[in-house]
Amino acid sequence: MAGLAESGSNPDVDLLYDINGLAKDAPHWFDRAMEFVGEYGLLLAMVLLVLWCWWTVRRRGGEDAASSVAALVWAPLAAGIAVLVNVPIRGFVQRPRPFNDHQGLDVLVSGKNDFSFVSDHATLTMAMGVALFVANRRFGLVGIGLALLEGFCRVYMGVHYPTDVIGGFALGTAVALLLSPLATAALTPLAKAVERSRAGRLIRSRRQQADAQEALIPNARSEHPAGSEERDLAA
């Protein structure tokens, strides 16, 4: 509680102590789990979520398959661009990590010597979550939920102020939404070119490609020998 007294009436610091104080009361194993989840686990979960969404879109196919995959490709690109944008912001603000200015925090991760504002982890996950929401609302809501959990973990671990996390959310959202039209316009023709190439299965499954070809040429399947059709179905 000494930290709370030192923090005065600053709600940002008060909330930091309140959330980080949960780590002091939690079992050691839970803190270690939160450390892994907040540092690596949620980032990995976000990547797997994007891949799952891509697999779903690919299997579904449809005329908009290329544009849907292009929107998914934007998710990791948005995260990367948002983190690059954060580099000059961090250098300009130069806010120290909270444990450098406030005593009594339970810091779960060591070696954090860079600046605190804004949180890279919060920026990454929210940029991917919002970009994923633009591509697919159902998966996007899960992604935004993971981003919110990431923000909580960063404060819980004692390595960021709540406003560092909020700033990361704002930055990730802005990059994902503002650049989305340009990214979609640039990536959709590329996805359509891939769809027409030998790597077309990255856009549609083999079965969806066969169905699309049959739709364009109704008698295409009947022109092949019966044995050939059986091989296609087995594939």
Side-chain angles (χ1 to χ4, degrees):
M1 299 297 292
L4 286 171
E6 292 174 7
S7 66
S9 59
N10 187 335
D12 192 23
V13 180
D14 289 347
L15 188 56
L16 165 68
Y17 275 105
D18 288 340
I19 296 177
N20 180 253
L22 299 174
K24 296 181 179 181
D25 300 328
H28 179 74
W29 64 266
F30 185 81
D31 284 348
R32 296 287 73 80
M34 288 291 286
E35 175 187 348
F36 175 79
V37 169
E39 192 74 6
Y40 308 107
L42 288 171
L43 293 177
L44 177 60
M46 189 68 74
V47 172
L48 293 177
L49 183 65
V50 172
L51 291 176
W52 185 11
C53 186
W54 163 75
W55 186 260
T56 302
V57 169
R58 175 182 172 273
R59 286 174 60 88
R60 185 184 64 208
E63 296 181 358
D64 61 341
S67 58
S68 297
V69 172
L72 287 175
V73 172
W74 169 235
L77 291 178
I81 292 174
V83 170
L84 290 177
V85 173
N86 188 30
V87 173
I89 294 176
R90 278 194 167 194
F92 177 76
V93 177
Q94 295 186 357
R95 186 185 201 181
R97 294 280 182 170
F99 51 79
N100 290 324
D101 292 338
H102 303 282
Q103 302 297 320
L105 292 174
D106 190 6
V107 183
L108 303 185
V109 181
S110 60
K112 297 293 183 180
N113 299 318
D114 54 345
F115 296 120
S116 186
F117 186 88
V118 296
S119 167
D120 277 339
H121 282 72
T123 302
L124 273 168
T125 52
M126 187 56 76
M128 292 185 72
V130 171
L132 189 57
F133 181 81
V134 173
N136 185 293
R137 290 188 177 182
R138 180 164 59 93
F139 283 91
L141 288 174
V142 177
I144 292 173
L146 291 176
L148 294 174
L149 180 57
E150 178 68 79
F152 175 83
C153 288
R154 302 308 288 177
V155 181
Y156 181 96
M157 294 159 61
V159 294
H160 281 293
Y161 294 95
T163 47
D164 297 337
V165 169
I166 295 172
F169 289 163
L171 176 59
T173 300
V175 170
L177 290 181
L178 293 179
L179 298 182
S180 179
L182 292 176
T184 301
L187 293 172
T188 299
L190 180 60
K192 289 182 178 179
V194 172
E195 185 179 18
R196 294 190 297 267
S197 71
R198 292 184 178 180
R201 278 181 288 177
L202 293 173
I203 309 298
R204 295 190 191 192
S205 65
R206 181 180 296 180
R207 182 175 180 178
Q208 291 294 336
Q209 286 179 312
D211 291 344
Q213 183 178 6
E214 185 179 4
L216 291 174
I217 309 175
N219 297 323
R221 182 166 293 186
S222 62
E223 293 175 358
H224 294 285
S228 174
E229 182 177 352
E230 291 177 359
R231 286 196 299 271
D232 289 343
L233 290 173

